[in-house]
Structure formats: structure tokens, C-alpha cells
Amino acid sequence: MRTFALTLLTLAYPLVVYFGLDAHVEPRWLALLLVGMALLRAAFARERVWLVAALGAMVLAVASFWGNQVMPLKLYPMLVNVVMLCVFSISLVYPPSVIERLARLHEPNLPPTGIAYTRRVTQVWCGFFVVNGSISLATVFWATDAGWALYNGMISYLLMGVLFAGEWLLRKRMRARLHHG
């Protein structure tokens, strides 16, 4: 339940920042939200990478609080993409890959073709995090607050959903072809 609440808060973060700014809340006070998220992330972290993410969020929050600037707050979604890229990339160097671990929850005896497939899907997700993080960073500098919130609070999640659904459909077709062929 705590993980779900933290995930929900992370997903809502861009919209909360946007509506806070729209209501003329100073960035330093919005930074407290990021501090809270970082502390929660650190408290529930099971892997070291999430402690690093929490530390990065704290640095952004302190910078925002200290200078009363919004830009550090807007960098948080990009930071999340960098952390996810690190998690997925590291799993390619030190297998099993993230996607293989997830696949083994449903299919513990994953065949070699399945391992190769999950490795490729992990690579695709790495590419996604590079592109998504780059666009997120671009919105910090070249988009309005509304454009930043729209991309980071909705469009990026829709793109993730499209990638997830597309992979799921592809996997279903591949499995059907393997079972019938």
C-alpha cells in the first residue's frame, strides 16, 4: 500500500507542481513535496539505486527551496527517467534483465529464446528512457509550465502505456506463433 501511494504521488507530481504554481505557491513550499517524496522513497528503498534517486530528489528540493526557483522541481521527472535508465541498463550488464525478472514471475522456466527476447525488450525500454528523459529535460527549458505538466504528467505516461501495450501484443503474437509452429 505504501509503494502504491508513493507511485501515485510520483505520477501526480507534475500536476501538483503545475497547479501549485498556478495558485501562486512559491517554489520553495512546493519543494517540501519533493522532500517528502524523497524521504518516503529512501524509507521504502529495497535497492541502492532508489536511495541514490532519493538523494538526487533531495538535492533538487534543497536547490529549489534555497533559491525559491521552480527549475529544480521541474527536473525531477527527468531524474526519474535517468534512474530507470540506470536500473534497466545495469540489469543488462549484470543479468537477469529487469524484464526477464518480471517474466520469470509468470514463467519460472523461461527458455533461451525468452531470455533473448526479454533482453531485447529491456534494451527497448532503455531507449525509451533516453528519449523520454530528453524530452522531459527539453520541456524544462523550452515549454511553458502547462506544457511541462502536460508532457510529464500525461503524455509521457501515455507513451509508456503504448510501449507496454505494444510489447504485450507482440509477445502474445510471438507466443501464439511458437505454440502453433
Side-chain angles (χ1 to χ4, degrees):
M1 188 65 175
R2 292 179 289 195
T3 303
F4 176 75
L6 182 58
T7 300
L8 192 60
L9 184 58
T10 301
L11 293 174
Y13 174 82
L15 299 176
V16 171
V17 169
Y18 173 72
F19 287 119
L21 292 172
D22 194 47
H24 305 290
V25 175
E26 288 186 12
R28 72 170 32 107
W29 303 120
L30 293 172
L32 295 177
L33 169 67
L34 193 51
V35 168
M37 287 173 43
L39 291 174
L40 284 172
R41 174 73 67 199
F44 303 128
R46 294 189 178 144
E47 293 184 29
R48 191 174 307 158
V49 70
W50 293 114
L51 291 174
V52 173
L55 179 62
M58 289 294 285
V59 168
L60 292 174
V62 167
S64 183
F65 189 85
W66 208 267
N68 200 30
Q69 296 295 314
V70 73
M71 186 170 52
L73 296 176
K74 290 173 135 186
L75 289 170
Y76 180 70
M78 190 265 315
L79 173 69
V80 171
N81 278 278
V82 168
V83 169
M84 296 303 290
L85 174 62
C86 289
V87 168
F88 278 61
S89 297
I90 289 168
S91 79
L92 290 169
V93 176
Y94 301 103
S97 69
V98 170
I99 302 299
E100 180 183 341
R101 288 181 210 161
L102 293 172
R104 286 188 183 277
L105 294 174
H106 296 288
E107 195 172 332
N109 298 319
L110 199 61
T113 55
I115 293 170
Y117 177 78
T118 58
R119 183 172 180 77
R120 176 61 65 193
V121 172
T122 302
Q123 292 168 340
V124 168
W125 276 103
C126 286
F128 174 83
F129 293 127
V130 168
V131 171
N132 194 51
S134 298
I135 294 171
S136 178
L137 181 61
T139 66
V140 170
F141 295 108
W142 295 299
T144 63
D145 289 343
W148 172 83
L150 178 65
Y151 183 80
N152 292 286
M154 188 172 80
I155 294 171
S156 66
Y157 299 128
L158 290 173
L159 293 173
M160 277 185 232
V162 167
L163 179 56
F164 182 80
E167 187 280 322
W168 181 79
L169 290 171
L170 179 64
R171 184 173 6 114
K172 290 286 188 191
R173 285 183 64 183
M174 287 178 62
R175 290 180 104 188
R177 210 175 324 143
L178 285 173
H179 290 295
H180 294 298

